[in-house]
Amino acid sequence: MNDLAWSALVRPVRGIARRAFGIEFDELMCLGCSVVRRFDASPHVSISFDDSPRPDTTFELLEALAQYNTKATFFVIGDHARRYPDIVRKIQADGHEIGNHTQHHRDLHRVSPRLLAREILQCQRTLQEILGARPKLFRAPYGHFRWDMRDRARLGSIEALVGWDVAPPYAESDPEIIADYVLERVRPGSIILLHDGLSGVGGAISKGAGRAAAASLHLIIPELQRRGLMTVPIGQQLADFAGAPHRSPAPVRHPLFGVASPYA
């Protein structure tokens, strides 16, 4: 099915789902999709960053993480990686984990199955060319996972679809607000989502969000350490506690926009 045919199919399905069942299209798309959002039996937490790499914010994140000897997971956009391969290599060289965040950061609820597969697999190929290995983790842009994603991800050697259970407002530019939000909600086994800049917004907003995330780490990480919570990459939690991840079949609602999305 091509993209035009997919769009023609999606429009009536969206209306039928809302009128007949009271369910939004984004929720319908995620039914049956198993996504790891936290680790119920883990004493650790994971910090992750979406929309990497970026020349104006990634280095600030890396410097903050290095200061506290903390390893994180960076979900990388393939198109960004092609433009800044040395930054991707720097992330890897610093001991951080790299995940797939699609090639072009498209909304995967609005693309055909063919384009869905292309977005995932092209990013896998891009990162393999740069790093010599394919990522094992995948996170959909906007948290828009869907029922047919797992099989296509497995074609690219992806082992887990990864969401999160703690995410401050994505465009927040105040580090203290970000830190307060995270520290009020984090618990053992949590996956924290922050942003290395933002896709689809103006440069100033994107840079402000990325720099605020970096600054918030100086508040978040020491407090996590004070609480006795060790911060490890998502893949380490997945390997250590594979028997007890919290897998959500569908996302919760976004607190600002009301659409289905696993922002918590």
Side-chain angles (χ1 to χ4, degrees), residues 6 9-33 109-110 145-148 249-251 253 259-261:
W6 178 259
L9 172 65
V10 162
R11 281 192 293 270
V13 169
R14 181 183 292 117
I16 293 169
R18 183 181 297 116
R19 290 193 301 270
F21 304 105
I23 186 171
E24 293 296 327
F25 176 72
D26 289 345
E27 294 174 288
L28 181 66
M29 290 286 280
C30 286
L31 292 177
C33 183
H109 280 183
R110 271 62 180 176
F145 297 94
R146 52 190 264 188
W147 82 93
D148 59 346
R253 290 186 174 277
V259 298
S261 177

PDB file of all heavy atoms in Angstrom, residues 6 9-33 109-110 145-148 249-251 253 259-261:
ATOM      1  N   TRP A   6      -2.821   4.780   1.840  1.00  0.00           N
ATOM      2  CA  TRP A   6      -2.877   4.738   3.300  1.00  0.00           C
ATOM      3  C   TRP A   6      -3.648   5.941   3.843  1.00  0.00           C
ATOM      4  O   TRP A   6      -4.507   5.805   4.723  1.00  0.00           O
ATOM      5  CB  TRP A   6      -1.467   4.719   3.867  1.00  0.00           C
ATOM      6  CG  TRP A   6      -1.413   4.735   5.362  1.00  0.00           C
ATOM      7  CD1 TRP A   6      -1.157   5.805   6.166  1.00  0.00           C
ATOM      8  CD2 TRP A   6      -1.646   3.639   6.242  1.00  0.00           C
ATOM      9  NE1 TRP A   6      -1.201   5.444   7.483  1.00  0.00           N
ATOM     10  CE2 TRP A   6      -1.499   4.120   7.563  1.00  0.00           C
ATOM     11  CE3 TRP A   6      -1.947   2.289   6.043  1.00  0.00           C
ATOM     12  CZ2 TRP A   6      -1.652   3.301   8.668  1.00  0.00           C
ATOM     13  CZ3 TRP A   6      -2.094   1.473   7.154  1.00  0.00           C
ATOM     14  CH2 TRP A   6      -1.949   1.978   8.440  1.00  0.00           C
ATOM     15  N   LEU A   9      -7.304   5.568   3.441  1.00  0.00           N
ATOM     16  CA  LEU A   9      -7.871   4.609   4.384  1.00  0.00           C
ATOM     17  C   LEU A   9      -7.987   5.209   5.785  1.00  0.00           C
ATOM     18  O   LEU A   9      -8.975   4.989   6.488  1.00  0.00           O
ATOM     19  CB  LEU A   9      -6.994   3.356   4.435  1.00  0.00           C
ATOM     20  CG  LEU A   9      -7.325   2.307   5.510  1.00  0.00           C
ATOM     21  CD1 LEU A   9      -8.690   1.695   5.238  1.00  0.00           C
ATOM     22  CD2 LEU A   9      -6.254   1.222   5.546  1.00  0.00           C
ATOM     23  N   VAL A  10      -6.979   5.969   6.189  1.00  0.00           N
ATOM     24  CA  VAL A  10      -6.917   6.491   7.556  1.00  0.00           C
ATOM     25  C   VAL A  10      -8.049   7.455   7.851  1.00  0.00           C
ATOM     26  O   VAL A  10      -8.640   7.433   8.936  1.00  0.00           O
ATOM     27  CB  VAL A  10      -5.552   7.177   7.790  1.00  0.00           C
ATOM     28  CG1 VAL A  10      -5.602   8.091   9.003  1.00  0.00           C
ATOM     29  CG2 VAL A  10      -4.469   6.124   7.954  1.00  0.00           C
ATOM     30  N   ARG A  11      -8.403   8.317   6.901  1.00  0.00           N
ATOM     31  CA  ARG A  11      -9.407   9.351   7.173  1.00  0.00           C
ATOM     32  C   ARG A  11     -10.744   8.782   7.636  1.00  0.00           C
ATOM     33  O   ARG A  11     -11.271   9.193   8.678  1.00  0.00           O
ATOM     34  CB  ARG A  11      -9.572  10.247   5.941  1.00  0.00           C
ATOM     35  CG  ARG A  11      -8.460  11.282   5.794  1.00  0.00           C
ATOM     36  CD  ARG A  11      -8.802  12.315   4.758  1.00  0.00           C
ATOM     37  NE  ARG A  11      -8.846  11.755   3.421  1.00  0.00           N
ATOM     38  CZ  ARG A  11      -7.802  11.679   2.598  1.00  0.00           C
ATOM     39  NH1 ARG A  11      -6.631  12.126   3.001  1.00  0.00           N
ATOM     40  NH2 ARG A  11      -7.921  11.166   1.394  1.00  0.00           N
ATOM     41  N   PRO A  12     -11.349   7.841   6.909  1.00  0.00           N
ATOM     42  CA  PRO A  12     -12.631   7.306   7.408  1.00  0.00           C
ATOM     43  C   PRO A  12     -12.492   6.482   8.684  1.00  0.00           C
ATOM     44  O   PRO A  12     -13.390   6.482   9.523  1.00  0.00           O
ATOM     45  CB  PRO A  12     -13.128   6.450   6.241  1.00  0.00           C
ATOM     46  CG  PRO A  12     -11.915   6.117   5.444  1.00  0.00           C
ATOM     47  CD  PRO A  12     -11.022   7.311   5.578  1.00  0.00           C
ATOM     48  N   VAL A  13     -11.369   5.761   8.830  1.00  0.00           N
ATOM     49  CA  VAL A  13     -11.172   4.968  10.039  1.00  0.00           C
ATOM     50  C   VAL A  13     -11.117   5.871  11.261  1.00  0.00           C
ATOM     51  O   VAL A  13     -11.672   5.546  12.317  1.00  0.00           O
ATOM     52  CB  VAL A  13      -9.884   4.127   9.929  1.00  0.00           C
ATOM     53  CG1 VAL A  13      -9.523   3.509  11.270  1.00  0.00           C
ATOM     54  CG2 VAL A  13     -10.055   3.031   8.882  1.00  0.00           C
ATOM     55  N   ARG A  14     -10.474   7.029  11.138  1.00  0.00           N
ATOM     56  CA  ARG A  14     -10.390   7.962  12.258  1.00  0.00           C
ATOM     57  C   ARG A  14     -11.786   8.388  12.711  1.00  0.00           C
ATOM     58  O   ARG A  14     -12.095   8.402  13.900  1.00  0.00           O
ATOM     59  CB  ARG A  14      -9.554   9.178  11.857  1.00  0.00           C
ATOM     60  CG  ARG A  14      -9.392  10.188  12.985  1.00  0.00           C
ATOM     61  CD  ARG A  14      -8.622  11.413  12.535  1.00  0.00           C
ATOM     62  NE  ARG A  14      -7.244  11.091  12.246  1.00  0.00           N
ATOM     63  CZ  ARG A  14      -6.673  11.204  11.049  1.00  0.00           C
ATOM     64  NH1 ARG A  14      -7.386  11.628  10.021  1.00  0.00           N
ATOM     65  NH2 ARG A  14      -5.412  10.912  10.873  1.00  0.00           N
ATOM     66  N   GLY A  15     -12.639   8.727  11.747  1.00  0.00           N
ATOM     67  CA  GLY A  15     -13.985   9.159  12.089  1.00  0.00           C
ATOM     68  C   GLY A  15     -14.824   8.046  12.687  1.00  0.00           C
ATOM     69  O   GLY A  15     -15.560   8.256  13.656  1.00  0.00           O
ATOM     70  N   ILE A  16     -14.728   6.851  12.120  1.00  0.00           N
ATOM     71  CA  ILE A  16     -15.492   5.709  12.633  1.00  0.00           C
ATOM     72  C   ILE A  16     -15.074   5.367  14.055  1.00  0.00           C
ATOM     73  O   ILE A  16     -15.901   5.112  14.925  1.00  0.00           O
ATOM     74  CB  ILE A  16     -15.312   4.491  11.706  1.00  0.00           C
ATOM     75  CG1 ILE A  16     -15.967   4.753  10.352  1.00  0.00           C
ATOM     76  CG2 ILE A  16     -15.894   3.232  12.345  1.00  0.00           C
ATOM     77  CD1 ILE A  16     -15.625   3.724   9.304  1.00  0.00           C
ATOM     78  N   ALA A  17     -13.768   5.358  14.317  1.00  0.00           N
ATOM     79  CA  ALA A  17     -13.269   5.014  15.646  1.00  0.00           C
ATOM     80  C   ALA A  17     -13.785   5.988  16.689  1.00  0.00           C
ATOM     81  O   ALA A  17     -14.201   5.590  17.784  1.00  0.00           O
ATOM     82  CB  ALA A  17     -11.742   4.997  15.649  1.00  0.00           C
ATOM     83  N   ARG A  18     -13.807   7.266  16.348  1.00  0.00           N
ATOM     84  CA  ARG A  18     -14.244   8.269  17.316  1.00  0.00           C
ATOM     85  C   ARG A  18     -15.745   8.195  17.544  1.00  0.00           C
ATOM     86  O   ARG A  18     -16.220   8.230  18.680  1.00  0.00           O
ATOM     87  CB  ARG A  18     -13.847   9.667  16.827  1.00  0.00           C
ATOM     88  CG  ARG A  18     -14.197  10.774  17.817  1.00  0.00           C
ATOM     89  CD  ARG A  18     -13.811  12.149  17.305  1.00  0.00           C
ATOM     90  NE  ARG A  18     -12.383  12.265  17.113  1.00  0.00           N
ATOM     91  CZ  ARG A  18     -11.807  12.470  15.926  1.00  0.00           C
ATOM     92  NH1 ARG A  18     -12.537  12.550  14.840  1.00  0.00           N
ATOM     93  NH2 ARG A  18     -10.489  12.582  15.846  1.00  0.00           N
ATOM     94  N   ARG A  19     -16.527   8.076  16.464  1.00  0.00           N
ATOM     95  CA  ARG A  19     -17.988   8.108  16.593  1.00  0.00           C
ATOM     96  C   ARG A  19     -18.537   6.813  17.182  1.00  0.00           C
ATOM     97  O   ARG A  19     -19.433   6.832  18.032  1.00  0.00           O
ATOM     98  CB  ARG A  19     -18.624   8.365  15.230  1.00  0.00           C
ATOM     99  CG  ARG A  19     -18.396   9.782  14.689  1.00  0.00           C
ATOM    100  CD  ARG A  19     -19.295  10.060  13.509  1.00  0.00           C
ATOM    101  NE  ARG A  19     -19.069   9.101  12.425  1.00  0.00           N
ATOM    102  CZ  ARG A  19     -18.178   9.271  11.446  1.00  0.00           C
ATOM    103  NH1 ARG A  19     -17.424  10.352  11.440  1.00  0.00           N
ATOM    104  NH2 ARG A  19     -18.034   8.374  10.490  1.00  0.00           N
ATOM    105  N   ALA A  20     -18.018   5.686  16.726  1.00  0.00           N
ATOM    106  CA  ALA A  20     -18.602   4.406  17.120  1.00  0.00           C
ATOM    107  C   ALA A  20     -18.065   3.886  18.446  1.00  0.00           C
ATOM    108  O   ALA A  20     -18.796   3.245  19.208  1.00  0.00           O
ATOM    109  CB  ALA A  20     -18.359   3.368  16.019  1.00  0.00           C
ATOM    110  N   PHE A  21     -16.799   4.158  18.726  1.00  0.00           N
ATOM    111  CA  PHE A  21     -16.178   3.537  19.903  1.00  0.00           C
ATOM    112  C   PHE A  21     -15.627   4.541  20.910  1.00  0.00           C
ATOM    113  O   PHE A  21     -15.144   4.150  21.973  1.00  0.00           O
ATOM    114  CB  PHE A  21     -15.049   2.599  19.467  1.00  0.00           C
ATOM    115  CG  PHE A  21     -15.484   1.540  18.503  1.00  0.00           C
ATOM    116  CD1 PHE A  21     -15.170   1.629  17.150  1.00  0.00           C
ATOM    117  CD2 PHE A  21     -16.240   0.457  18.940  1.00  0.00           C
ATOM    118  CE1 PHE A  21     -15.576   0.660  16.258  1.00  0.00           C
ATOM    119  CE2 PHE A  21     -16.653  -0.517  18.051  1.00  0.00           C
ATOM    120  CZ  PHE A  21     -16.328  -0.425  16.710  1.00  0.00           C
ATOM    121  N   GLY A  22     -15.673   5.828  20.584  1.00  0.00           N
ATOM    122  CA  GLY A  22     -15.147   6.831  21.493  1.00  0.00           C
ATOM    123  C   GLY A  22     -13.653   6.739  21.682  1.00  0.00           C
ATOM    124  O   GLY A  22     -13.120   7.125  22.722  1.00  0.00           O
ATOM    125  N   ILE A  23     -12.939   6.236  20.679  1.00  0.00           N
ATOM    126  CA  ILE A  23     -11.490   6.076  20.772  1.00  0.00           C
ATOM    127  C   ILE A  23     -10.817   6.909  19.683  1.00  0.00           C
ATOM    128  O   ILE A  23     -11.283   6.959  18.542  1.00  0.00           O
ATOM    129  CB  ILE A  23     -11.095   4.582  20.625  1.00  0.00           C
ATOM    130  CG1 ILE A  23      -9.598   4.390  20.868  1.00  0.00           C
ATOM    131  CG2 ILE A  23     -11.493   4.020  19.278  1.00  0.00           C
ATOM    132  CD1 ILE A  23      -9.190   2.928  20.957  1.00  0.00           C
ATOM    133  N   GLU A  24      -9.767   7.597  20.061  1.00  0.00           N
ATOM    134  CA  GLU A  24      -9.046   8.406  19.089  1.00  0.00           C
ATOM    135  C   GLU A  24      -8.189   7.518  18.189  1.00  0.00           C
ATOM    136  O   GLU A  24      -7.769   6.429  18.582  1.00  0.00           O
ATOM    137  CB  GLU A  24      -8.160   9.435  19.805  1.00  0.00           C
ATOM    138  CG  GLU A  24      -8.932  10.495  20.560  1.00  0.00           C
ATOM    139  CD  GLU A  24      -9.768  11.375  19.653  1.00  0.00           C
ATOM    140  OE1 GLU A  24      -9.344  11.626  18.505  1.00  0.00           O
ATOM    141  OE2 GLU A  24     -10.847  11.812  20.091  1.00  0.00           O
ATOM    142  N   PHE A  25      -7.917   8.012  17.011  1.00  0.00           N
ATOM    143  CA  PHE A  25      -7.161   7.239  16.025  1.00  0.00           C
ATOM    144  C   PHE A  25      -5.795   6.838  16.568  1.00  0.00           C
ATOM    145  O   PHE A  25      -5.346   5.707  16.367  1.00  0.00           O
ATOM    146  CB  PHE A  25      -6.996   8.064  14.748  1.00  0.00           C
ATOM    147  CG  PHE A  25      -6.140   7.395  13.701  1.00  0.00           C
ATOM    148  CD1 PHE A  25      -6.607   6.312  12.997  1.00  0.00           C
ATOM    149  CD2 PHE A  25      -4.864   7.876  13.429  1.00  0.00           C
ATOM    150  CE1 PHE A  25      -5.820   5.699  12.033  1.00  0.00           C
ATOM    151  CE2 PHE A  25      -4.073   7.270  12.467  1.00  0.00           C
ATOM    152  CZ  PHE A  25      -4.555   6.183  11.779  1.00  0.00           C
ATOM    153  N   ASP A  26      -5.114   7.747  17.277  1.00  0.00           N
ATOM    154  CA  ASP A  26      -3.788   7.426  17.801  1.00  0.00           C
ATOM    155  C   ASP A  26      -3.845   6.273  18.793  1.00  0.00           C
ATOM    156  O   ASP A  26      -2.939   5.448  18.865  1.00  0.00           O
ATOM    157  CB  ASP A  26      -3.166   8.652  18.463  1.00  0.00           C
ATOM    158  CG  ASP A  26      -2.759   9.710  17.450  1.00  0.00           C
ATOM    159  OD1 ASP A  26      -2.705   9.373  16.253  1.00  0.00           O
ATOM    160  OD2 ASP A  26      -2.510  10.848  17.850  1.00  0.00           O
ATOM    161  N   GLU A  27      -4.916   6.223  19.581  1.00  0.00           N
ATOM    162  CA  GLU A  27      -5.079   5.110  20.508  1.00  0.00           C
ATOM    163  C   GLU A  27      -5.346   3.817  19.755  1.00  0.00           C
ATOM    164  O   GLU A  27      -4.821   2.752  20.106  1.00  0.00           O
ATOM    165  CB  GLU A  27      -6.219   5.400  21.475  1.00  0.00           C
ATOM    166  CG  GLU A  27      -5.963   6.567  22.415  1.00  0.00           C
ATOM    167  CD  GLU A  27      -7.177   6.899  23.235  1.00  0.00           C
ATOM    168  OE1 GLU A  27      -8.141   7.449  22.678  1.00  0.00           O
ATOM    169  OE2 GLU A  27      -7.161   6.600  24.444  1.00  0.00           O
ATOM    170  N   LEU A  28      -6.168   3.893  18.730  1.00  0.00           N
ATOM    171  CA  LEU A  28      -6.485   2.713  17.922  1.00  0.00           C
ATOM    172  C   LEU A  28      -5.225   2.133  17.291  1.00  0.00           C
ATOM    173  O   LEU A  28      -5.026   0.917  17.261  1.00  0.00           O
ATOM    174  CB  LEU A  28      -7.493   3.092  16.830  1.00  0.00           C
ATOM    175  CG  LEU A  28      -7.953   1.980  15.891  1.00  0.00           C
ATOM    176  CD1 LEU A  28      -8.762   0.938  16.652  1.00  0.00           C
ATOM    177  CD2 LEU A  28      -8.785   2.556  14.749  1.00  0.00           C
ATOM    178  N   MET A  29      -4.359   2.998  16.802  1.00  0.00           N
ATOM    179  CA  MET A  29      -3.138   2.542  16.139  1.00  0.00           C
ATOM    180  C   MET A  29      -2.231   1.755  17.085  1.00  0.00           C
ATOM    181  O   MET A  29      -1.462   0.899  16.657  1.00  0.00           O
ATOM    182  CB  MET A  29      -2.359   3.740  15.585  1.00  0.00           C
ATOM    183  CG  MET A  29      -3.016   4.419  14.412  1.00  0.00           C
ATOM    184  SD  MET A  29      -2.879   3.457  12.903  1.00  0.00           S
ATOM    185  CE  MET A  29      -1.213   3.850  12.413  1.00  0.00           C
ATOM    186  N   CYS A  30      -2.302   2.056  18.388  1.00  0.00           N
ATOM    187  CA  CYS A  30      -1.392   1.431  19.350  1.00  0.00           C
ATOM    188  C   CYS A  30      -1.953   0.178  20.005  1.00  0.00           C
ATOM    189  O   CYS A  30      -1.246  -0.468  20.782  1.00  0.00           O
ATOM    190  CB  CYS A  30      -1.029   2.437  20.442  1.00  0.00           C
ATOM    191  SG  CYS A  30       0.121   3.694  19.878  1.00  0.00           S
ATOM    192  N   LEU A  31      -3.190  -0.171  19.717  1.00  0.00           N
ATOM    193  CA  LEU A  31      -3.761  -1.355  20.342  1.00  0.00           C
ATOM    194  C   LEU A  31      -2.939  -2.590  19.978  1.00  0.00           C
ATOM    195  O   LEU A  31      -2.662  -2.844  18.807  1.00  0.00           O
ATOM    196  CB  LEU A  31      -5.221  -1.541  19.905  1.00  0.00           C
ATOM    197  CG  LEU A  31      -6.199  -0.481  20.412  1.00  0.00           C
ATOM    198  CD1 LEU A  31      -7.594  -0.741  19.857  1.00  0.00           C
ATOM    199  CD2 LEU A  31      -6.232  -0.468  21.936  1.00  0.00           C
ATOM    200  N   GLY A  32      -2.546  -3.336  20.995  1.00  0.00           N
ATOM    201  CA  GLY A  32      -1.757  -4.541  20.764  1.00  0.00           C
ATOM    202  C   GLY A  32      -0.277  -4.300  20.599  1.00  0.00           C
ATOM    203  O   GLY A  32       0.483  -5.239  20.396  1.00  0.00           O
ATOM    204  N   CYS A  33       0.161  -3.046  20.703  1.00  0.00           N
ATOM    205  CA  CYS A  33       1.584  -2.734  20.549  1.00  0.00           C
ATOM    206  C   CYS A  33       2.256  -2.757  21.917  1.00  0.00           C
ATOM    207  O   CYS A  33       1.893  -1.993  22.813  1.00  0.00           O
ATOM    208  CB  CYS A  33       1.756  -1.365  19.904  1.00  0.00           C
ATOM    209  SG  CYS A  33       3.469  -0.928  19.584  1.00  0.00           S
ATOM    210  N   HIS A 109       2.240   7.392  12.731  1.00  0.00           N
ATOM    211  CA  HIS A 109       0.814   7.058  12.640  1.00  0.00           C
ATOM    212  C   HIS A 109       0.222   7.513  11.317  1.00  0.00           C
ATOM    213  O   HIS A 109      -0.868   7.085  10.946  1.00  0.00           O
ATOM    214  CB  HIS A 109       0.037   7.713  13.777  1.00  0.00           C
ATOM    215  CG  HIS A 109       0.145   6.979  15.067  1.00  0.00           C
ATOM    216  ND1 HIS A 109      -0.523   7.371  16.208  1.00  0.00           N
ATOM    217  CD2 HIS A 109       0.847   5.871  15.414  1.00  0.00           C
ATOM    218  CE1 HIS A 109      -0.242   6.537  17.196  1.00  0.00           C
ATOM    219  NE2 HIS A 109       0.594   5.630  16.744  1.00  0.00           N
ATOM    220  N   ARG A 110       0.933   8.372  10.608  1.00  0.00           N
ATOM    221  CA  ARG A 110       0.395   8.967   9.385  1.00  0.00           C
ATOM    222  C   ARG A 110       1.091   8.477   8.127  1.00  0.00           C
ATOM    223  O   ARG A 110       0.911   9.051   7.066  1.00  0.00           O
ATOM    224  CB  ARG A 110       0.507  10.489   9.450  1.00  0.00           C
ATOM    225  CG  ARG A 110      -0.669  11.210  10.088  1.00  0.00           C
ATOM    226  CD  ARG A 110      -0.890  10.854  11.513  1.00  0.00           C
ATOM    227  NE  ARG A 110      -2.030  11.578  12.091  1.00  0.00           N
ATOM    228  CZ  ARG A 110      -2.488  11.390  13.306  1.00  0.00           C
ATOM    229  NH1 ARG A 110      -1.916  10.487  14.099  1.00  0.00           N
ATOM    230  NH2 ARG A 110      -3.515  12.063  13.767  1.00  0.00           N
ATOM    231  N   PHE A 145       3.766   4.802  18.559  1.00  0.00           N
ATOM    232  CA  PHE A 145       3.961   3.401  18.184  1.00  0.00           C
ATOM    233  C   PHE A 145       2.688   2.887  17.510  1.00  0.00           C
ATOM    234  O   PHE A 145       1.623   3.509  17.612  1.00  0.00           O
ATOM    235  CB  PHE A 145       4.279   2.579  19.437  1.00  0.00           C
ATOM    236  CG  PHE A 145       5.565   2.982  20.100  1.00  0.00           C
ATOM    237  CD1 PHE A 145       5.570   3.907  21.138  1.00  0.00           C
ATOM    238  CD2 PHE A 145       6.775   2.450  19.692  1.00  0.00           C
ATOM    239  CE1 PHE A 145       6.745   4.298  21.757  1.00  0.00           C
ATOM    240  CE2 PHE A 145       7.963   2.822  20.298  1.00  0.00           C
ATOM    241  CZ  PHE A 145       7.955   3.751  21.329  1.00  0.00           C
ATOM    242  N   ARG A 146       2.795   1.754  16.821  1.00  0.00           N
ATOM    243  CA  ARG A 146       1.620   1.185  16.163  1.00  0.00           C
ATOM    244  C   ARG A 146       1.730  -0.326  16.069  1.00  0.00           C
ATOM    245  O   ARG A 146       2.807  -0.892  16.226  1.00  0.00           O
ATOM    246  CB  ARG A 146       1.385   1.815  14.791  1.00  0.00           C
ATOM    247  CG  ARG A 146       2.587   1.806  13.885  1.00  0.00           C
ATOM    248  CD  ARG A 146       2.358   2.649  12.645  1.00  0.00           C
ATOM    249  NE  ARG A 146       1.914   1.842  11.524  1.00  0.00           N
ATOM    250  CZ  ARG A 146       1.799   2.309  10.280  1.00  0.00           C
ATOM    251  NH1 ARG A 146       2.055   3.592  10.036  1.00  0.00           N
ATOM    252  NH2 ARG A 146       1.402   1.532   9.299  1.00  0.00           N
ATOM    253  N   TRP A 147       0.594  -0.947  15.813  1.00  0.00           N
ATOM    254  CA  TRP A 147       0.487  -2.402  15.940  1.00  0.00           C
ATOM    255  C   TRP A 147       1.423  -3.171  15.015  1.00  0.00           C
ATOM    256  O   TRP A 147       1.849  -4.278  15.346  1.00  0.00           O
ATOM    257  CB  TRP A 147      -0.963  -2.833  15.663  1.00  0.00           C
ATOM    258  CG  TRP A 147      -1.269  -2.957  14.208  1.00  0.00           C
ATOM    259  CD1 TRP A 147      -1.180  -4.082  13.448  1.00  0.00           C
ATOM    260  CD2 TRP A 147      -1.657  -1.915  13.312  1.00  0.00           C
ATOM    261  NE1 TRP A 147      -1.503  -3.824  12.143  1.00  0.00           N
ATOM    262  CE2 TRP A 147      -1.803  -2.494  12.028  1.00  0.00           C
ATOM    263  CE3 TRP A 147      -1.915  -0.546  13.465  1.00  0.00           C
ATOM    264  CZ2 TRP A 147      -2.188  -1.749  10.916  1.00  0.00           C
ATOM    265  CZ3 TRP A 147      -2.301   0.188  12.361  1.00  0.00           C
ATOM    266  CH2 TRP A 147      -2.432  -0.409  11.119  1.00  0.00           C
ATOM    267  N   ASP A 148       1.771  -2.639  13.851  1.00  0.00           N
ATOM    268  CA  ASP A 148       2.584  -3.372  12.883  1.00  0.00           C
ATOM    269  C   ASP A 148       4.064  -3.012  12.963  1.00  0.00           C
ATOM    270  O   ASP A 148       4.848  -3.391  12.100  1.00  0.00           O
ATOM    271  CB  ASP A 148       2.076  -3.121  11.465  1.00  0.00           C
ATOM    272  CG  ASP A 148       2.090  -1.643  11.065  1.00  0.00           C
ATOM    273  OD1 ASP A 148       2.235  -0.789  11.964  1.00  0.00           O
ATOM    274  OD2 ASP A 148       1.933  -1.347   9.872  1.00  0.00           O
ATOM    275  N   PRO A 249       0.144  -1.666  26.504  1.00  0.00           N
ATOM    276  CA  PRO A 249      -0.463  -1.987  25.214  1.00  0.00           C
ATOM    277  C   PRO A 249      -0.911  -0.761  24.453  1.00  0.00           C
ATOM    278  O   PRO A 249      -1.165  -0.821  23.269  1.00  0.00           O
ATOM    279  CB  PRO A 249      -1.675  -2.839  25.612  1.00  0.00           C
ATOM    280  CG  PRO A 249      -2.041  -2.325  26.959  1.00  0.00           C
ATOM    281  CD  PRO A 249      -0.726  -1.967  27.622  1.00  0.00           C
ATOM    282  N   ALA A 250      -1.060   0.371  25.107  1.00  0.00           N
ATOM    283  CA  ALA A 250      -1.529   1.591  24.454  1.00  0.00           C
ATOM    284  C   ALA A 250      -1.060   2.786  25.259  1.00  0.00           C
ATOM    285  O   ALA A 250      -0.835   2.694  26.460  1.00  0.00           O
ATOM    286  CB  ALA A 250      -3.056   1.594  24.346  1.00  0.00           C
ATOM    287  N   PRO A 251      -0.901   3.938  24.616  1.00  0.00           N
ATOM    288  CA  PRO A 251      -0.395   5.110  25.323  1.00  0.00           C
ATOM    289  C   PRO A 251      -1.467   5.788  26.154  1.00  0.00           C
ATOM    290  O   PRO A 251      -2.652   5.572  25.969  1.00  0.00           O
ATOM    291  CB  PRO A 251       0.057   6.021  24.185  1.00  0.00           C
ATOM    292  CG  PRO A 251      -0.845   5.667  23.058  1.00  0.00           C
ATOM    293  CD  PRO A 251      -1.097   4.186  23.193  1.00  0.00           C
ATOM    294  N   ARG A 253      -2.889   9.658  27.627  1.00  0.00           N
ATOM    295  CA  ARG A 253      -3.133  10.913  26.918  1.00  0.00           C
ATOM    296  C   ARG A 253      -2.105  11.971  27.284  1.00  0.00           C
ATOM    297  O   ARG A 253      -1.668  12.065  28.418  1.00  0.00           O
ATOM    298  CB  ARG A 253      -4.541  11.424  27.212  1.00  0.00           C
ATOM    299  CG  ARG A 253      -5.599  10.556  26.569  1.00  0.00           C
ATOM    300  CD  ARG A 253      -6.989  11.145  26.750  1.00  0.00           C
ATOM    301  NE  ARG A 253      -7.940  10.352  25.994  1.00  0.00           N
ATOM    302  CZ  ARG A 253      -8.175  10.512  24.693  1.00  0.00           C
ATOM    303  NH1 ARG A 253      -7.527  11.435  24.026  1.00  0.00           N
ATOM    304  NH2 ARG A 253      -9.035   9.757  24.061  1.00  0.00           N
ATOM    305  N   VAL A 259      -4.165  14.412  22.850  1.00  0.00           N
ATOM    306  CA  VAL A 259      -4.044  13.301  21.924  1.00  0.00           C
ATOM    307  C   VAL A 259      -3.352  12.148  22.617  1.00  0.00           C
ATOM    308  O   VAL A 259      -2.680  12.328  23.631  1.00  0.00           O
ATOM    309  CB  VAL A 259      -3.255  13.690  20.656  1.00  0.00           C
ATOM    310  CG1 VAL A 259      -3.961  14.788  19.899  1.00  0.00           C
ATOM    311  CG2 VAL A 259      -1.841  14.113  21.002  1.00  0.00           C
ATOM    312  N   ALA A 260      -3.527  10.964  22.058  1.00  0.00           N
ATOM    313  CA  ALA A 260      -2.904   9.795  22.670  1.00  0.00           C
ATOM    314  C   ALA A 260      -1.401   9.856  22.496  1.00  0.00           C
ATOM    315  O   ALA A 260      -0.901   9.977  21.396  1.00  0.00           O
ATOM    316  CB  ALA A 260      -3.451   8.518  22.038  1.00  0.00           C
ATOM    317  N   SER A 261      -0.709   9.808  23.600  1.00  0.00           N
ATOM    318  CA  SER A 261       0.751   9.833  23.589  1.00  0.00           C
ATOM    319  C   SER A 261       1.224   9.431  24.962  1.00  0.00           C
ATOM    320  O   SER A 261       0.593   9.787  25.954  1.00  0.00           O
ATOM    321  CB  SER A 261       1.262  11.229  23.243  1.00  0.00           C
ATOM    322  OG  SER A 261       2.665  11.269  23.287  1.00  0.00           O
TER     323      SER A 261
END
